[in-house]
C-alpha cells in the first residue's frame, strides 16, 4: 500500500470513528433508561437499574451515537456540586435533563453550569401518561409544569419536551428528536441525523440531505485517490470507499435484507442495487458496470498535471453519482416503511 493509499484509508477510518455523545441526567426513577430505549427503538438499555447505587455511568451504543445514563446525584456518593468534575461532563455534546416529578436543586444548578459552558440542554418531562391535576386538562397541566420549571430556573429561554417512553404507548418522541437535531452543535448534527430513527417525513428528508453530505466527503477521498500513481492500489481504495459509503447509507436508513425483500413498491432494479452494495463482491460488479470510466483514470494519470486533475475529477463524479443513486434507492425503501408505520399509528386505537 502506498503512502497516499494509507492516508486515504486513515481518513476513511476517522470519518466514522467519533460518536455523538448524549448525556441523560436526572433523579432516580425518572425513566432515563426507558427513554434511551424509546429513542433507539429497541431495548438498548436495561430498565430498572438504579444508577445512583453504582459508581459508573451506563453507556449505550446506538449506531454513531452514545447515550450516557449518569448515576443519580445529590447523594452521599455523588454530591451534586462535585458531579461535573467527577464525570468530566463538559466533554459531551448534548444533555437531556429527565424528570417525572418536581425538578431538584441539583437539576437546575447543573443546567446553569452546562449552559454557562455553551452546552445544549433539553428538559424532558417523562411519564406524561401519569400527569394529572384535578380540574385541569392535560394542556393546562403541562403549562403549569412549564411555569414551574421557568420559576426554578429564573428564565424563560429553555427547551422543554413532554414525552411518554412507555413501550406500549409512546408519545412526544417526534418532538424530542426534532429538539435534539435543532440544538445539537452544528459540527455534530449531521452525524446524529444519520444515526437517529426518522419518525416523520421531515426527519427522513433531513436524513437524506445528511447522507448526501456524507457522499460528498466520500467523493472527495475518491478524487484524492484519482491521483494515486499505483494501478491496482487505486482500485482497492475505490472498493473501500464505496463499501464504507454504501454501509453508512444503509445504516442511516435502517435498510436490511428483510426490508428489501418485503418491499412492494421499490423497483427490482433498485432492490438489486442495494443488495449488491452489501458485499465487496457485489460492489465489484457495480464497479464493472462503470468499468470503462473507472479504467479511464489509469490512462489519464499518465498525462502530467492535466491528466491527474482530470482523473481526480472523474473519480469524484463517479463516486458521487454512485452514492446519490444508492441514497435514492435506500430513501424509497425507508419511505415505504415509514408511511406504513404512520398509517399503523393512525389506525391504532387510543387508550383511555
Amino acid at each position: 500500500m502506498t503512502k497516499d493509499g494509507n492516508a486515504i484509508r486513515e481518513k476513511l477510518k476517522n470519518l466514522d470513528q467519533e460518536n455523538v455523545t448524549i448525556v441523560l441526567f436526572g433523579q432516580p426513577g425518572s425513566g432515563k433508561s426507558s427513554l434511551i430505549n424509546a429513542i433507539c427503538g429497541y431495548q438498548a438499555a436495561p430498565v430498572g437499574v438504579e444508577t445512583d447505587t453504582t459508581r459508573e455511568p451506563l453507556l449505550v451504543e446506538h449506531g454513531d451515537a452514545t447515550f450516557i445514563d449518569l448515576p443519580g446525584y445529590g447523594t452521599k456518593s455523588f454530591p451534586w456540586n462535585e458531579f461535573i468534575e467527577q464525570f468530566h461532563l463538559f466533554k459531551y455534546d448534548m444533555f437531556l435533563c429527565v424528570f417525572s416529578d418536581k425538578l431538584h436543586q441539583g437539576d437546575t444548578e447543573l443546567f446553569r453550569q452546562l449552559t454557562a459552558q455553551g452546552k445544549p440542554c433539553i428538559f424532558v418531562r417523562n411519564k406524561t401518561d401519569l400527569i394529572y391535576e384535578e380540574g385541569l386538562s392535560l394542556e393546562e397541566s403541562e403549562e403549569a409544569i412549564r411555569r414551574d420549571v421557568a420559576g426554578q430556573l429564573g428564565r424563560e429561554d429553555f427547551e422543554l419536551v413532554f414525552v411518554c417512553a412507555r413501550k406500549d404507548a409512546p408519545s412526544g418522541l417526534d418532538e424530542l428528536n426534532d429538539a435534539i437535531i435543532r440544538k445539537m452543535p452544528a459540527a455534530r448534527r449531521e452525524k446524529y441525523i444519520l444515526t437517529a430513527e426518522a419518525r416523520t417525513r421531515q426527519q427522513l428528508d433531513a436524513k437524506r440531505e445528511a447522507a448526501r453530505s456524507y457522499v460528498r466527503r466520500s467523493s472527495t477521498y475518491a478524487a484524492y485517490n484519482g491521483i494515486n500513481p499505483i494501478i491496482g492500489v487505486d482500485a482497492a481504495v475505490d472498493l473501500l470507499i464505496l463499501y464504507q459509503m454504501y454501509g453508512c447509507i444503509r445504516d442511516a436508513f435502517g435498510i436490511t435484507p428483510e426490508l428489501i425483500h418485503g418491499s412492494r413498491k421499490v423497483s427490482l432494479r433498485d432492490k438489486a442495487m442495494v443488495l449488491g452494495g452489501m458485499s465487496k463482491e457485489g460492489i465489484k460488479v457495480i464497479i464493472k458496470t462503470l468499468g470503462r470510466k473507472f479504467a479511464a483514470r489509469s490512462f489519464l494519470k499518465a498525462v502530467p498535471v492535466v491528466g491527474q486533475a482530470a482523473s481526480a475529477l472523474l473519480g469524484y463524479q463517479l463516486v458521487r453519482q454512485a452514492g446519490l443513486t444508492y441514497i435514492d434507492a435506500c430513501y424509497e425503501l425507508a419511505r415505504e416503511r415509514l408511511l406504513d408505520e404512520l398509517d399503523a399509528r393512525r389506525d391504532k386505537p387510543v387508550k383511555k
Side-chain angles (χ1 to χ4, degrees):
M1 179 66 66
T2 65
K3 181 179 179 181
D4 287 343
N6 284 329
I8 296 171
R9 286 177 181 270
E10 190 63 26
K11 287 178 182 292
L12 290 171
K13 178 182 176 182
N14 292 337
L15 186 62
D16 294 318
Q17 197 170 41
E18 187 179 354
N19 278 13
V20 176
T21 51
I22 301 177
V23 171
L24 291 86
F25 67 93
Q27 301 304 310
S30 58
K32 291 177 289 179
S33 295
S34 297
L35 182 59
I36 291 174
N37 292 334
I39 293 173
C40 294
Y42 60 94
Q43 186 162 339
V47 178
V49 175
E50 294 294 337
T51 52
D52 60 326
T53 64
T54 178
R55 301 196 65 84
E56 297 297 330
L58 174 66
L59 303 183
V60 176
E61 303 285 347
H62 174 60
D64 286 334
T66 300
F67 294 93
I68 301 101
D69 182 356
L70 292 178
Y73 44 87
T75 64
K76 183 177 180 181
S77 298
F78 302 109
W80 66 264
N81 57 329
E82 299 175 6
F83 203 68
I84 289 178
E85 183 176 352
Q86 192 167 0
F87 290 101
H88 310 287
L89 293 192
F90 294 148
K91 70 179 182 181
Y92 298 117
D93 297 316
M94 166 74 68
F95 296 82
L96 305 180
C97 177
V98 185
F99 65 107
S100 58
D101 196 357
K102 295 288 186 180
L103 283 178
H104 289 226
Q105 180 187 5
D107 301 329
T108 56
E109 179 59 27
L110 194 52
F111 170 80
R112 291 190 182 99
Q113 294 197 43
L114 290 170
T115 52
Q117 294 293 322
K119 292 294 181 177
C121 183
I122 300 171
F123 287 96
V124 183
R125 175 47 163 95
N126 197 6
K127 303 183 181 181
T128 54
D129 57 318
L130 300 181
I131 293 178
Y132 174 76
E133 291 287 343
E134 188 173 356
L136 297 180
S137 66
L138 177 60
E139 292 74 15
E140 291 170 333
S141 297
E142 289 181 350
E143 182 56 33
I145 292 171
R146 188 179 300 277
R147 288 196 302 270
D148 183 63
V149 173
Q152 291 192 60
L153 296 178
R155 56 193 295 176
E156 298 287 341
D157 57 333
F158 60 89
E159 189 95 29
L160 172 60
V161 181
F162 294 89
V163 307
C164 175
R166 280 177 49 187
K167 186 177 180 180
D168 61 334
S171 65
L173 299 176
D174 299 355
E175 292 79 4
L176 176 58
N177 198 34
D178 283 338
I180 293 174
I181 292 172
R182 187 167 57 251
K183 293 186 73 68
M184 181 68 68
R188 313 294 286 146
R189 187 176 299 130
E190 180 182 299
K191 179 160 283 192
Y192 177 76
I193 292 173
L194 288 174
T195 292
E197 179 183 0
R199 301 175 182 275
T200 65
R201 284 288 304 276
Q202 292 77 12
Q203 291 172 7
L204 186 62
D205 289 344
K207 188 180 289 289
R208 179 172 57 180
E209 290 307 309
R212 287 172 175 171
S213 178
Y214 180 91
V215 165
R216 285 193 292 271
R217 290 201 303 275
S218 297
S219 302
T220 300
Y221 299 140
Y224 185 42
N225 187 44
I227 61 175
N228 192 331
I230 309 296
I231 297 174
V233 171
D234 59 342
V237 174
D238 285 335
L239 179 62
L240 176 64
I241 291 171
L242 288 175
Y243 184 71
Q244 179 167 313
M245 180 178 70
Y246 284 162
C248 175
I249 294 170
R250 283 195 311 276
D251 289 345
F253 287 101
I255 305 301
T256 63
E258 294 75 19
L259 178 64
I260 298 170
H261 293 307
S263 172
R264 306 178 306 277
K265 299 178 182 178
V266 175
S267 70
L268 291 175
R269 179 181 177 182
D270 283 348
K271 289 182 182 180
M273 181 184 61
V274 176
L275 283 169
M278 290 184 169
S279 68
K280 290 185 178 180
E281 290 304 316
I283 294 174
K284 287 179 182 178
V285 173
I286 294 173
I287 289 177
K288 283 182 180 179
T289 64
L290 302 171
R292 291 183 179 180
K293 293 182 179 180
F294 269 100
R297 292 186 309 162
S298 298
F299 297 101
L300 289 170
K301 291 175 186 178
V303 182
V305 184
V306 175
Q308 288 185 338
S311 173
L313 177 60
L314 184 55
Y316 179 92
Q317 291 174 336
L318 289 172
V319 171
R320 179 176 179 274
Q321 186 56 49
L324 294 179
T325 302
Y326 207 74
I327 286 173
D328 288 343
C330 289
Y331 173 86
E332 289 305 321
L333 286 163
R335 179 176 177 273
E336 180 181 354
R337 176 186 57 199
L338 177 62
L339 291 177
D340 288 345
E341 290 174 353
L342 292 177
D343 286 342
R345 287 187 212 172
R346 283 192 290 267
D347 294 340
K348 187 176 181 179
V350 178
K351 290 187 177 183
K352 297 184 179 180

